[in-house]
Short mmCIF file of all heavy atoms in Angstrom, two decimals:
data_model
loop_
_atom_site.label_atom_id
_atom_site.label_comp_id
_atom_site.label_asym_id
_atom_site.label_seq_id
_atom_site.Cartn_x
_atom_site.Cartn_y
_atom_site.Cartn_z
N PHE R 7 1.43 0.01 9.76
CA PHE R 7 0.29 -0.09 8.83
C PHE R 7 -0.61 -1.19 9.17
O PHE R 7 -0.26 -2.21 9.80
CB PHE R 7 0.83 -0.23 7.37
CG PHE R 7 1.72 0.84 6.88
CD1 PHE R 7 3.11 0.67 6.81
CD2 PHE R 7 1.19 2.05 6.49
CE1 PHE R 7 3.93 1.71 6.40
CE2 PHE R 7 1.97 3.02 5.99
CZ PHE R 7 3.40 2.92 6.00
N PHE R 17 -3.09 -11.79 -2.14
CA PHE R 17 -2.93 -10.41 -1.78
C PHE R 17 -3.60 -10.05 -0.51
O PHE R 17 -4.28 -10.85 0.11
CB PHE R 17 -3.64 -9.52 -2.91
CG PHE R 17 -5.04 -9.74 -2.99
CD1 PHE R 17 -5.96 -8.96 -2.31
CD2 PHE R 17 -5.65 -10.68 -3.83
CE1 PHE R 17 -7.36 -9.12 -2.38
CE2 PHE R 17 -7.03 -10.90 -3.93
CZ PHE R 17 -7.81 -10.08 -3.16
N ALA R 30 -10.49 10.99 -5.08
CA ALA R 30 -9.53 11.91 -5.61
C ALA R 30 -8.14 11.85 -4.75
O ALA R 30 -7.03 11.81 -5.31
CB ALA R 30 -9.89 13.37 -5.75
N LYS R 34 -4.39 10.48 -5.84
CA LYS R 34 -3.13 11.27 -5.63
C LYS R 34 -2.22 10.47 -4.73
O LYS R 34 -0.96 10.50 -4.99
CB LYS R 34 -3.57 12.65 -4.82
CG LYS R 34 -2.44 13.52 -4.65
CD LYS R 34 -2.76 14.80 -4.01
CE LYS R 34 -1.55 15.71 -3.78
NZ LYS R 34 -1.91 16.89 -3.12
N PHE R 36 -1.95 7.20 -4.62
CA PHE R 36 -1.47 6.18 -5.54
C PHE R 36 -0.39 6.75 -6.41
O PHE R 36 0.72 6.13 -6.55
CB PHE R 36 -2.64 5.75 -6.48
CG PHE R 36 -2.16 4.92 -7.62
CD1 PHE R 36 -1.64 3.55 -7.52
CD2 PHE R 36 -2.17 5.51 -8.96
CE1 PHE R 36 -1.25 2.85 -8.64
CE2 PHE R 36 -1.74 4.78 -10.05
CZ PHE R 36 -1.23 3.46 -9.92
N GLU R 37 -0.57 7.96 -7.04
CA GLU R 37 0.44 8.57 -7.86
C GLU R 37 1.72 8.89 -7.08
O GLU R 37 2.83 8.73 -7.54
CB GLU R 37 -0.11 9.79 -8.51
CG GLU R 37 -1.16 9.44 -9.53
CD GLU R 37 -1.84 10.63 -10.18
OE1 GLU R 37 -1.63 11.75 -9.68
OE2 GLU R 37 -2.72 10.42 -11.08
N LEU R 39 2.86 7.31 -4.22
CA LEU R 39 3.46 6.09 -3.99
C LEU R 39 4.18 5.54 -5.25
O LEU R 39 5.35 5.04 -5.11
CB LEU R 39 2.47 4.94 -3.50
CG LEU R 39 1.87 5.25 -2.10
CD1 LEU R 39 0.74 4.27 -1.88
CD2 LEU R 39 2.96 5.02 -1.05
N ASN R 41 5.15 7.32 -8.09
CA ASN R 41 6.13 8.20 -8.67
C ASN R 41 7.34 8.51 -7.67
O ASN R 41 8.43 8.56 -8.11
CB ASN R 41 5.54 9.46 -9.18
CG ASN R 41 4.58 9.28 -10.34
OD1 ASN R 41 4.76 8.38 -11.11
ND2 ASN R 41 3.42 10.07 -10.33
N TYR R 43 7.96 6.79 -4.56
CA TYR R 43 8.52 5.75 -3.85
C TYR R 43 8.63 4.44 -4.72
O TYR R 43 9.09 3.45 -4.18
CB TYR R 43 7.58 5.43 -2.61
CG TYR R 43 7.66 6.62 -1.68
CD1 TYR R 43 6.62 7.59 -1.73
CD2 TYR R 43 8.66 6.90 -0.78
CE1 TYR R 43 6.69 8.76 -0.91
CE2 TYR R 43 8.71 7.96 0.07
CZ TYR R 43 7.69 8.94 0.04
OH TYR R 43 7.75 10.01 0.74
N PRO R 58 -12.58 4.93 0.34
CA PRO R 58 -11.17 5.23 -0.26
C PRO R 58 -10.10 4.99 0.78
O PRO R 58 -10.40 5.06 1.98
CB PRO R 58 -11.32 6.72 -0.63
CG PRO R 58 -12.43 7.26 0.17
CD PRO R 58 -13.39 6.17 0.46
N PHE R 65 1.37 -10.36 -2.58
CA PHE R 65 2.62 -10.98 -1.91
C PHE R 65 3.11 -12.26 -2.61
O PHE R 65 3.94 -12.91 -2.07
CB PHE R 65 2.27 -11.26 -0.50
CG PHE R 65 1.18 -12.25 -0.17
CD1 PHE R 65 1.30 -13.63 -0.29
CD2 PHE R 65 -0.12 -11.76 0.14
CE1 PHE R 65 0.27 -14.47 0.03
CE2 PHE R 65 -1.14 -12.60 0.37
CZ PHE R 65 -0.92 -13.99 0.36
N GLU R 68 9.02 -12.99 -5.26
CA GLU R 68 10.13 -13.47 -4.56
C GLU R 68 10.45 -12.63 -3.27
O GLU R 68 10.12 -11.36 -3.25
CB GLU R 68 11.47 -13.44 -5.53
CG GLU R 68 11.27 -14.35 -6.69
CD GLU R 68 12.45 -14.25 -7.60
OE1 GLU R 68 13.58 -14.07 -7.16
OE2 GLU R 68 12.21 -14.38 -8.86
N ILE R 76 8.93 -3.57 1.63
CA ILE R 76 8.96 -3.14 3.03
C ILE R 76 9.89 -1.96 3.23
O ILE R 76 9.43 -1.05 3.93
CB ILE R 76 9.46 -4.33 3.88
CG1 ILE R 76 8.39 -5.41 3.93
CG2 ILE R 76 9.81 -3.87 5.36
CD1 ILE R 76 8.83 -6.77 4.42
#
Side-chain angles (χ1 to χ4, degrees):
F7 299 103
F17 64 89
K34 183 176 179 181
F36 165 75
E37 291 173 356
L39 289 168
N41 296 326
Y43 299 94
F65 58 83
E68 294 180 36
I76 291 166

